[in-house]
């Protein structure tokens, strides 16, 4: 029996699963942030190790029982990143393994032929693609300074700003000026702003504030809807960039795979409509794909590819049944 470990290391958590060659889930483990760009390589590696050890222990296996480990890690963006990650991962007790950016595991769960575009919108954002010849390209994923304008941390900052601007009559009236202070435990924007300034808070990393944005949009709030549409357009622009930089695809309809909490859990219709419209303006025939399975199973599928194991529709259905994004 061959056993594969898939590891999905993101900006919020690291999720590992042990799967046998028939697609049966034998164990899983969850630890903290697996992005070395955020917490440093030592902490990231510690979280990766912790999640993997939990999964192996739950499966009742030993390290030597594992045929292949596939790491899909946020922050694996450039060769410089891989020069940090590969030596660190080599210290883990596995003979056969590979590491890719987490975008590639997202693409694998959405495209059976592994050719298309993947857009990540979780705590951060990224975009990548792989054409039929196997050429890959990445757009973004390097932070707001380098042009990224999506992801829950970025969207949370925009939501906070919108609440303040609405309160100060620099933007249209919005329920965000009531909802955002309440989220932080205040009655008014004024109380919230004064408290933040008194504590010298000038930046925000509060991804869950994006939930408030979605709630406001669901209530029909025009400002919240505009922010989500802006995010959709930014994701669409990133998709168009990937397609142009790859030189297009041979297939008539281009699959656009959407992964990450904002798109897999949130699924806001205003965001999705703006995304689709942006891409269709440049590339008429596209298909938006929101996978039902967690991205970690993309790592498992890539691991099965390495071992030459069949991973058809039945395997995809089995992985989807294990649960979605928060599996």
């Amino acid at each position: 029996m061959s056993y594969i470990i898939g590891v999905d290391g993101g900006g919020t958590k690291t999720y590992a699963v042990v799967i046998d060659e028939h697609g049966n889930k034998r164990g899983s483990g969850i630890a903290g942030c697996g992005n070395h760009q955020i917490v440093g390589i030592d902490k990231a590696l510690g979280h990766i190790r912790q999640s993997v050890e939990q999964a192996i222990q739950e499966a009742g296996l030993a390290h030597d029982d594992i045929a292949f480990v596939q790491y899909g890690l946020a922050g694996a963006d450039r060769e410089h990143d891989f020069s940090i990650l590969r030596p660190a991962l080599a210290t883990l007790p596995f003979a056969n393994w590979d590491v890719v950016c987490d975008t590639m595991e997202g693409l694998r769960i959405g495209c059976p032929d592994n050719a298309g575009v993947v857009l990540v919108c979780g705590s951060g954002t990224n975009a990548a693609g792989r054409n039929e010849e196997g050429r890959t390209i990445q757009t973004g994923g390097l932070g707001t300074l380098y042009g990224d304008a999506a992801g829950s941390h970025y969207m949370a900052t925009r939501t906070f700003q919108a609440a303040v601007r609405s309160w100060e009559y620099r933007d249209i009236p919005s329920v965000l000026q009531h909802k955002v202070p309440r989220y932080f435990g205040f009655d008014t924007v004024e109380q919230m702003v004064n408290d933040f300034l008194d504590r010298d808070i000038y930046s925000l990393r509060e991804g869950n504030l994006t939930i408030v944005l979605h709630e406001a949009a669901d209530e029909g709030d025009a400002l919240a809807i505009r922010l989500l549409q802006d995010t959709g357009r930014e994701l669409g622009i990133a998709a168009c960039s990937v397609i142009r930089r790859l030189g297009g695809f041979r297939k008539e309809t281009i699959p656009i795979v959407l992964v990450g909490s904002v798109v897999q859990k949130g699924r806001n219709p205003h965001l999705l409509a703006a995304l689709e419209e942006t891409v269709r303006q440049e590339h008429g025939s596209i298909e938006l794909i929101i996978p039902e399975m967690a991205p970690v199973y993309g790592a498992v599928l890539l691991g099965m590819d390495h071992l030459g194991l069949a991973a058809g529709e039945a395997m995809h259905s089995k992985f989807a049944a294990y649960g979605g994004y928060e599996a």
Side-chain angles (χ1 to χ4, degrees):
M1 179 71 73
S2 294
Y3 298 96
I4 302 99
I5 294 180
V7 180
D8 177 39
T12 303
K13 71 175 185 294
T14 302
Y15 184 40
V17 296
V18 177
I19 301 290
D20 68 27
E21 63 188 63
H22 301 299
N24 300 309
K25 182 178 177 181
R26 297 300 189 95
S28 64
I30 296 179
C33 173
N35 186 336
H36 75 284
Q37 294 177 356
I38 297 176
V39 296
I41 188 59
D42 291 339
K43 283 189 177 179
L45 182 64
H47 293 151
I48 292 167
R49 187 192 301 271
Q50 181 183 350
S51 67
V52 168
E53 293 297 333
Q54 286 177 14
I56 289 178
Q57 183 176 4
E58 185 175 298
L61 299 172
H63 298 119
D64 291 343
D65 295 321
I66 306 303
F68 198 85
V69 182
Q70 178 66 65
Y71 304 99
L73 304 179
D77 299 309
R78 302 184 298 129
E79 185 54 40
H80 174 72
D81 297 306
F82 287 103
S83 71
I84 296 171
L85 290 167
R86 289 191 185 106
L89 294 171
T91 66
L92 300 180
F94 303 105
N96 301 310
W97 57 274
D98 185 38
V99 57
V100 296
C101 183
D102 61 343
T103 52
M104 291 296 104
E105 59 180 355
L107 181 63
R108 186 63 181 83
I109 63 176
C111 295
D113 65 354
N114 209 18
V117 176
V118 58
L119 301 175
V120 178
C121 194
S123 57
T125 188
N126 208 337
R130 182 179 185 274
N131 64 14
E132 291 88 347
E133 288 73 40
R135 180 169 178 250
T136 62
I137 201 75
Q138 176 177 320
T139 289
L142 303 177
T144 56
L145 181 62
Y146 299 94
D148 291 350
S152 65
H153 289 158
Y154 176 87
M155 295 166 70
T157 296
R158 291 289 310 278
T159 302
F160 188 94
Q161 292 169 343
V164 175
R165 289 173 61 85
S166 177
W167 169 65
E168 292 179 330
Y169 297 98
R170 286 193 282 170
D171 213 322
I172 61 175
S174 171
V175 297
L176 291 174
Q177 65 174 290
H178 307 296
K179 286 180 172 292
V180 171
R182 284 202 296 268
Y183 174 85
F184 289 105
F186 300 98
D187 294 326
T188 66
V189 171
E190 184 174 17
Q191 291 175 358
M192 178 183 71
V193 167
N194 284 326
D195 177 82
F196 275 45
L197 291 174
D198 289 344
R199 291 186 288 132
D200 293 325
I201 296 176
Y202 292 95
S203 63
L204 192 67
R205 288 188 65 85
E206 185 60 51
N208 286 338
L209 187 57
T210 306
I211 297 172
V212 174
L213 175 64
H214 281 74
E215 291 173 349
D218 290 342
E219 295 171 12
D221 186 79
L223 184 52
I225 290 171
R226 187 209 302 166
L227 295 183
L228 287 164
Q229 289 172 330
D230 289 346
T231 301
R233 279 188 285 271
E234 284 294 334
L235 291 170
I237 289 169
C240 290
S241 165
V242 169
I243 296 169
R244 287 196 299 268
R245 295 175 70 194
L246 281 174
F249 292 84
R250 291 200 305 268
K251 58 181 71 177
E252 183 177 343
T253 299
I254 302 174
I256 311 289
V257 184
L258 309 179
V259 296
S261 57
V262 173
V263 286
Q264 281 188 283
K265 288 179 63 182
R267 301 187 184 222
N268 180 269
H270 303 289
L271 184 156
L272 296 176
L275 190 168
E276 186 169 12
E277 180 185 4
T278 301
V279 184
R280 285 193 187 280
Q281 287 175 355
E282 189 168 322
H283 307 279
S285 185
I286 65 168
E287 178 187 9
L288 295 187
I289 300 169
I290 303 179
E292 296 299 328
M293 71 180 78
V296 71
Y297 295 105
V300 172
L301 289 167
L302 289 171
M304 297 182 80
D305 293 342
H306 276 281
L307 296 176
L309 298 175
E313 289 186 13
M315 195 72 72
H316 278 250
S317 297
K318 184 173 284 190
F319 291 165
Y322 291 142
Y325 181 76
E326 291 293 338

